[in-house]
Amino acid sequence: MLSCVIFDFDDTLADSTGVHERVWPTVVETILRHVPHLDEGAFLERYDALMEGHYERLLAGELDFLGFRRTRLEAALEPWSAVDDALFAAYLEVKARVIDELRAHGDAVTTIRRLRRSGLRVGVLTNGPSELQRHKLAVTGIAAEVDVIGISGELGAHKPAGAAFAAVLELMECRPAEAAMVGDSLVNDVEGACAHGFGRVVWVERAAARSAPARTSLPAGVARVRRLAEVPPLLGSGRPRSVGPPAAAGV
């Protein structure tokens, strides 16, 4: 029987990709005022391609958050311009909208509440710096709904490392076999939770919901959903418990 459910945050509970796509034209307009000869299409390709490598350095502690943003922007703009303080300040100002305008997916809060009413404890495990992720969790309202929040910047390990899963399970007082993991990343969430012995693993196939159905094969026993509202029927009920407001969530 399950006793807890752990959700990924970005693009699982919160529409991080959607808000980025809405704000991106403003980011480009801002940069064009400083770099008028910018090739917009080529810049976007470079900016996206550089994300993973620089983000890994952030998670590893090689860069702080501002260092991550500046280093990534400098590398993306290298063919056209250097990044001076004025350009970087303007970039940071418009990028702040990505955080302030972030919203939870429409069925996120109702899904969390439904799971908690069924007797399951609910937590979040997210990669990223502490201050950034806690602000995003607060802006979306998710922080007030869950029992535990695990952030890689506070845990000292990031998904898919087993230490990250072990740390959040310890906070939730839950054994792996009694836990479910729900996330959109096949590597970080699905493979990471399977390797750590989670009792149930659910992949939220957000990308396919926006386009044609994907044919990705999943590890044995992993469920596939397109909406969070599909999760509670898959997981059933937990141990009976008195459910009031969530406890003070945190590490």
Side-chain angles (χ1 to χ4, degrees):
M1 181 179 291
L2 294 178
S3 63
C4 72
V5 183
I6 299 169
F7 286 90
D8 168 59
F9 177 68
D10 288 295
D11 283 326
T12 297
L13 292 173
D15 188 16
S16 303
T17 295
V19 71
H20 173 77
E21 290 174 349
R22 292 195 302 274
V23 174
W24 181 252
T26 308
V27 174
V28 173
E29 289 172 10
T30 299
I31 293 174
L32 280 170
R33 288 197 289 270
H34 294 260
V35 189
H37 56 288
L38 179 73
D39 181 328
E40 298 177 34
F43 169 65
L44 176 58
E45 288 182 9
R46 289 180 61 86
Y47 189 83
D48 284 346
L50 288 162
M51 169 64 180
E52 185 172 348
H54 285 80
Y55 196 65
E56 284 296 320
R57 294 180 63 196
L58 171 67
L59 294 178
E62 297 175 18
L63 296 171
D64 62 17
F65 187 57
L66 285 181
F68 157 71
R69 283 197 158 172
R70 182 148 192 161
T71 302
R72 182 187 181 191
L73 182 62
E74 287 173 341
L77 280 175
E78 186 176 6
W80 302 281
S81 175
V83 176
D84 59 22
D85 290 344
L87 170 54
F88 188 55
Y91 166 81
L92 288 180
E93 182 177 351
V94 69
K95 282 291 286 183
R97 285 183 51 193
V98 176
I99 301 171
D100 294 337
E101 296 184 14
L102 183 62
R103 298 293 179 265
H105 283 290
D107 54 356
V109 170
T110 54
T111 295
I112 291 170
R113 291 177 178 176
R114 185 175 175 185
L115 290 168
R116 294 187 74 248
R117 284 195 302 268
S118 77
L120 295 164
R121 299 191 78 214
V122 177
V124 168
L125 177 59
T126 178
N127 286 347
S130 175
E131 183 177 356
L132 172 68
Q133 295 304 96
R134 285 199 175 273
H135 183 47
K136 288 157 65 176
L137 284 156
V139 164
T140 57
I142 296 298
E145 299 291 337
V146 297
D147 296 292
V148 165
I149 292 171
I151 300 172
S152 68
E154 298 172 359
L155 298 175
H158 59 274
K159 298 178 293 181
F165 292 99
V168 76
L169 286 172
E170 183 177 357
L171 291 171
M172 299 196 74
E173 301 178 342
C174 180
R175 295 183 298 178
E178 297 176 344
M181 180 70 205
V182 181
D184 73 301
S185 170
L186 286 171
V187 174
N188 288 342
D189 303 318
V190 173
E191 294 178 9
C194 286
H196 199 66
F198 272 55
R200 296 296 305 274
V201 180
V202 180
W203 180 41
V204 184
E205 195 181 14
R206 292 280 183 205
R210 292 189 175 99
S211 57
R215 298 184 180 274
T216 304
S217 60
L218 298 176
V222 175
R224 181 194 314 243
V225 300
R226 291 193 177 184
R227 299 176 60 250
L228 292 174
E230 299 173 51
V231 172
L234 286 175
L235 301 184
S237 300
R239 296 189 180 94
R241 69 186 181 99
S242 176
V243 179
V251 176

